[in-house]
Structures are given as structure tokens and as C-alpha cells.
Amino acid sequence: MDLSSNFKGIKNISTIGISNLAGSIISAFFWIYLASLLGSENYGELTYYISIAGIVTSISLVGGPMAITVLVAKKIKIQSTIYVLSISGSIISAIVLYFAFTNIGVSIFVLGAVIYNLASSELLGRKFYKKYSIYFILQKILFVLFALIFYYMIGPEGVLLGIGLSFFIFIDRIYDGFKNTKFNLQLLKNKWAFIRNNFFIDLTQILNGQIDKIIIGPVFGFSILGNYYLAVQVLYLLAILPEAVKHYILPEDSSGEDTTKIKILTVIFSIGLALIGIFIAPQLLFTLFPEYADLLDLVPIISISIIPTTVYTLYVSKFLANEKSGYIVITSIVSVGVLISGIFILGEIFGTVGLAYSLVIFDCTRAFVLFILSRKI
């Protein structure tokens, strides 16, 4: 990679990183305010519904987001084809969810989240990093405004409704995709193995991210879930830079660009982020939320996860860029099993702290498995 390419890469990562930082700060203040407003019990219950909506969104997407990013980066016009499948799936899912929970917020969340994932993936695949950043920040602003407005109007259900409606800012990108590309059944058949594997990747990854919350709420109580989820928010904040790098390196890796130096620097930086989470974040959060008594124990442990999470993310990009998504499916299945087992076993033995340990073990497992598989192939 020459000097100009290095500079361009840093510039693009900075563009995505600044927008992710701004968006994450907006979201963080919102979730912090909401945590103090709702209390641990209601906060945990809201987390439970968001987790259900997240899993259903992944099912509806039919492997769309990562497939779009990779294939569009390779100049393959598959947008309309995946849009038809995913949006149809989201409409069906939204109807089923409404009758299951009689909660319109969950249904709107799924519809909006599908639009958001499809459109943002297309922008990244086309390497429109600046445009992606503008949409991302604007969506976060609307997310906070709509969620608070509807919360004060109709209660906690309004938060989900507000989040879902904020995603619809991306609807014009979906329209452009339909206008500029055609539904191509033959192209779908040719790329079906890759798209199918991406569906299982999306599903297992969302299970990786949400299954703990779906289990912890009913089994250990929504109050504990509220404490756990607030601690996980620290991990999300620490992951701002690695997340920005992920959005950048996937289309770059897919195009055959060398991103090795960027990946090494990202891992080194994640170690520093983990130290911040271990030594600085716990006392600060406990000062802000004295009613969340478990934060002092949870945050230092969960912060360790930023390191294996970063490593895992970088390996995912490498495998996807080479359309070897089957290995990620295997890794996700193994790690989901580890996470579920850890929640029940360690949660029963060590209580709330055991839930944090199970998350760290899960993140280390999926990073280690991908590392081994990368050496094998």
C-alpha cells in the first residue's frame, strides 16, 4: 500500500469514525438518560423487546447487508433482487410480531431496521463513505428525538416506535436501488450459496448479540438484565473505532486492497480501550447510576471483550471478502453454543458476574476459532 493509499484509507476511516463517534455519543446520552428515567426493571424489559426485534430483523434480511456490501463493491448489481426478498420478509415478520405482542413499536422497528441495514450496506459497498456518515448521524438525531417524543406520549412502547421511524430516513436509497438495478433471478441463483451463508452469518451473529438478553430477562430477571445491558453499552462505546474500521475494510478487502497495517493498529488501539473500560468507566458509571448496583462488577469484566471482538471483526472481513462465509457460520454456531452454556452455568454459579464472564468467553471463542480456521486455509 503506497503513501497516497495510506492517506486515503486514513481519511475514509476518519470520515466513518467521526460519524460513528458522533452517532454513538448521541445514542449513549440517550440510553443513559433512558436508563435513569426507566429504572433497571423497565430498562431491562425494553432491552428484551429490542433483542427480539433484532433477531426478527436478521431473519427478514435474508443475508442482505453483508452480501450487498461485498457484491456491490465488486460492481455486481444485486440491490433490487435482495431488496425484494428482504422487504417482503420484513412485512410478513412485522405482521406476525404485532399479533404475537400487540406492540406496534416492535413491528415498526423491524420494518425500519431492514431498510436501514439494506441502504447503509449499499452506501458502504459503493464506498460512499461521506454520504453514509451524513445519513448515519442524521438517523441518530432522529432516533433520539422520535424515541423521546413517543415515550412521553405513549410510554416505553413509544421508544421502539421512535427508533423504528428514524430508520425510514434511508427509504430514498432503497428507491434509488430499485430504480437503478433490476430484479435478476439468475443472478440470485448464481450467488445464492454466498447469500445463503450470509443469512446464517447474520442470524448467528444477531443471536450472538441478542440471545444473552433474551435468556437473562426471563431467567434472571429484568432488573439484572437492565444492569447487564447498561454495562454492555460501555462495550458498544469502546467499539466505536473498531466498528468504523469494519465498515471501511470490508469493501476495501473485497476490492483486493491491502488493509494489514490498519488492522494491526486497530487491534493495538483496542487494548488501550479495554484498559479505559477496566479502570475508568466503572466508577464514572456508578456515580451516575447508584441504583444500578452491579455496574462496578460488570463493567471491568465486559470491557475485556473489546479485544477479542476487534480481532473477530477483522477476520470476518477477510473471510467475507473472499466469499468464504461458510467458515463464519461454523464459528457463529460454536460461539452461540458457548454463550448459552456460559449464561446458564456461570450465571448459576457466580450470579451476575458469571453473566459477564460468559460474554468474555464467548467473544474469545469466536475470535480464536476464526484465527485457527484462517491458519488452516
Side-chain angles (χ1 to χ4, degrees), residues 15-303:
T15 300
I16 299 175
I18 291 171
S19 66
N20 275 10
L21 176 62
S24 297
I25 289 174
I26 293 169
S27 296
F29 276 111
F30 167 73
W31 285 111
I32 288 172
Y33 173 73
L34 198 62
S36 61
L37 189 68
L38 294 178
S40 59
E41 185 81 20
N42 290 327
Y43 191 63
E45 189 171 357
L46 177 62
T47 300
Y48 176 73
Y49 280 116
I50 289 176
S51 298
I52 291 174
I55 291 174
V56 175
T57 296
S58 179
I59 295 172
S60 303
L61 282 166
V62 197
M66 285 189 288
I68 285 179
T69 298
V70 172
L71 296 176
V72 169
K74 296 182 177 183
K75 312 299 183 184
I76 298 173
K77 296 183 177 181
I78 199 167
Q79 292 96 307
S80 287
T81 308
I82 293 181
Y83 289 177
V84 168
L85 293 176
S86 298
I87 293 175
S88 298
S90 71
I91 293 172
I92 295 171
S93 297
I95 294 171
V96 172
L97 282 174
Y98 181 75
F99 284 106
F101 296 102
T102 59
N103 188 322
I104 190 63
V106 178
S107 298
I108 296 298
F109 184 101
V110 170
L111 290 171
V114 166
I115 290 172
Y116 164 79
N117 278 280
L118 294 174
S120 59
S121 298
E122 183 262 349
L123 286 170
L124 291 170
R126 297 179 69 179
K127 302 183 183 180
F128 290 170
Y129 301 121
K130 184 176 181 180
K131 186 172 290 188
Y132 164 83
S133 299
I134 293 171
Y135 272 96
F136 181 81
I137 293 174
L138 188 55
Q139 185 271 325
K140 293 301 181 185
I141 294 172
L142 293 176
F143 151 60
V144 173
L145 291 176
F146 289 169
L148 289 176
I149 289 170
F150 284 104
Y151 168 77
Y152 284 111
M153 288 175 61
I154 60 177
E157 181 181 336
V159 175
L160 284 171
L161 179 60
I163 297 172
L165 290 175
S166 72
F167 290 134
F168 281 85
I169 190 176
F170 285 89
I171 195 70
D172 65 315
R173 299 303 312 176
I174 302 297
Y175 173 76
D176 286 344
F178 278 121
K179 184 174 68 174
N180 297 321
T181 62
K182 296 181 180 180
F183 182 85
N184 189 329
L185 188 59
Q186 186 58 46
L187 180 59
L188 179 65
K189 291 179 180 179
N190 293 340
K191 294 296 180 181
W192 179 246
F194 178 64
I195 294 172
R196 179 195 61 213
N197 283 341
N198 275 286
F199 168 76
F200 287 112
I201 291 171
D202 284 343
L203 182 58
T204 50
Q205 285 190 334
I206 199 68
L207 285 173
N208 284 188
Q210 305 296 346
I211 194 66
D212 52 347
K213 303 167 190 69
I214 290 179
I215 295 174
I216 290 171
V219 174
F220 296 93
F222 289 114
S223 180
I224 289 178
L225 176 57
N227 278 269
Y228 176 85
Y229 187 65
L230 189 54
V232 169
Q233 291 300 311
V234 176
L235 179 60
Y236 292 160
L237 283 172
L238 295 176
I240 291 172
L241 179 65
E243 188 71 15
V245 173
K246 180 191 75 173
H247 289 315
Y248 169 72
I249 64 173
L250 180 53
E252 295 297 321
D253 283 346
S254 300
S255 302
E257 299 291 336
D258 183 9
T259 58
T260 303
K261 292 181 180 178
I262 293 172
K263 291 176 180 176
I264 293 172
L265 289 173
T266 304
V267 173
I268 294 172
F269 194 76
S270 72
I271 296 172
L273 292 173
L275 294 176
I276 292 173
I278 293 170
F279 295 108
I280 299 176
Q283 291 292 342
L284 178 61
L285 282 171
F286 187 71
T287 301
L288 293 172
F289 304 103
E291 71 274 21
Y292 288 76
D294 296 323
L295 285 180
L296 276 174
D297 295 325
L298 290 171
V299 173
I301 300 170
I302 288 178
S303 296

